[in-house]
C-alpha cells in the first residue's frame, strides 16, 4: 500500500498553507483523493505536482497559465503537438522574462548613476544621468505611445 499524506503533513513538508492546498483542490489544479470521512489524502505524485506548481509560480507563471497549459503526470501518452505548444509557450514566457531583465538592468543602472550623481555632483555625472533618463523615456514611449505628448504640454515653456 502506498503512503498517503494528510493536508497537515503536506502543508508542513512543502511549506504551503493549508488554505492554498484547499484552493488548489477547489479549482482543480491538484485534487487529492478523499477518504470516507472526506479528508483529503495526498499521494506522492500529488506532492510532486505541488512542487512543480511552486517552481512554476517562482518562474512567474500564473495559476491560470499553470492550470490551462500543464497536465501534470498525465504525460504517459505524450502528444508531440502538445509538447510543441507547451515549448512555444515556454519560449514566449522566456522572451517576456528577458524583457523584464533588460528593463530591470536599465532601472538598476539609472539608480546607480542617480545615487552616484547625488553623492558627487558634477557635470559629467549629471549628463550621464540625463542620457539614461532619455533612453528609458524612449523605451516608455515605444511601449506606451499615448504617453509621449499627452499631459506634458502644460509643463513646456
Amino acid at each position: 500500500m502506498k503512503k498517503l499524506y494528510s493536508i497537515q503533513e503536506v502543508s508542513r513538508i512543502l511549506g504551503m498553507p493549508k488554505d492554498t492546498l484547499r484552493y488548489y483542490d477547489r479549482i482543480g489544479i491538484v485534487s487529492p483523493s478523499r477518504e470516507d470521512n472526506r479528508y483529503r489524502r495526498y499521494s506522492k505524485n500529488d506532492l510532486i505536482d505541488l512542487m512543480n506548481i511552486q517552481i512554476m509560480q517562482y518562474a512567474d507563471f500564473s495559476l491560470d497559465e499553470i492550470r490551462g497549459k500543464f497536465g501534470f503526470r498525465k504525460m504517459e501518452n505524450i502528444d508531440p503537438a502538445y509538447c510543441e505548444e507547451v515549448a512555444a509557450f515556454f519560449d514566449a514566457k522566456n522572451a517576456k522574462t528577458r524583457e523584464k531583465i533588460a528593463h530591470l538592468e536599465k532601472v538598476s543602472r539609472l539608480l546607480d548613476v542617480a545615487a552616484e550623481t547625488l553623492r558627487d555632483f558634477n557635470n559629467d555625472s549629471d549628463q550621464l544621468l540625463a542620457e539614461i533618463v532619455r533612453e528609458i523615456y524612449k523605451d516608455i514611449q515605444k511601449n506606451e505611445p499615448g504617453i509621449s505628448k499627452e499631459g506634458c504640454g502644460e509643463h513646456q515653456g
Side-chain angles (χ1 to χ4, degrees):
M1 184 168 169
K2 60 183 179 174
K3 169 123 171 84
L4 295 176
Y5 302 86
S6 70
I7 194 168
Q8 180 134 0
E9 289 172 312
V10 172
S11 176
R12 184 180 42 75
I13 291 167
L14 299 180
M16 283 181 137
K18 289 184 271 188
D19 286 343
T20 299
L21 296 168
R22 290 184 194 101
Y23 178 68
Y24 288 173
D25 185 11
R26 196 167 56 251
I27 66 173
I29 288 185
V30 174
S31 298
S33 60
R34 300 278 186 141
E35 293 182 333
D36 292 339
N37 61 11
R38 303 293 297 147
Y39 288 166
R40 292 170 178 86
R41 302 303 288 174
Y42 291 85
S43 69
K44 190 126 183 133
N45 284 333
D46 291 332
L47 265 67
I48 291 168
D49 288 351
L50 289 164
M51 287 182 223
N52 285 328
I53 290 166
Q54 285 180 312
I55 290 167
M56 293 179 79
Q57 285 183 309
Y58 178 79
D60 208 24
F61 286 88
S62 70
L63 285 178
D64 284 340
E65 289 171 328
I66 293 168
R67 184 177 50 203
K69 285 284 179 205
F70 310 104
F72 297 113
R73 267 190 299 109
K74 299 164 186 81
M75 299 289 280
E76 293 86 30
N77 302 319
I78 297 176
D79 174 15
Y82 170 78
C83 290
E84 183 53 42
E85 178 187 334
V86 173
F89 180 73
F90 282 165
D91 288 341
K93 192 72 170 177
N94 194 26
K96 282 280 187 209
T97 299
R98 290 186 186 284
E99 285 176 21
K100 287 179 186 176
I101 290 169
H103 168 77
L104 291 173
E105 284 174 343
K106 285 181 185 178
V107 169
S108 177
R109 185 168 168 240
L110 171 67
L111 295 172
D112 282 344
V113 172
E116 190 61 36
T117 299
L118 291 170
R119 283 192 186 96
D120 182 24
F121 190 84
N122 63 59
N123 198 41
D124 289 342
S125 62
D126 191 41
Q127 287 298 320
L128 179 58
L129 182 59
E131 285 174 32
I132 294 171
V133 168
R134 279 193 294 276
E135 180 184 323
I136 289 175
Y137 191 70
K138 284 178 191 171
D139 286 349
I140 292 169
Q141 287 178 319
K142 216 181 326 171
N143 293 332
E144 299 176 38
I147 207 171
S148 60
K149 300 279 186 260
E150 273 181 40
C152 295
E154 66 269 11
H155 300 293
Q156 294 170 350

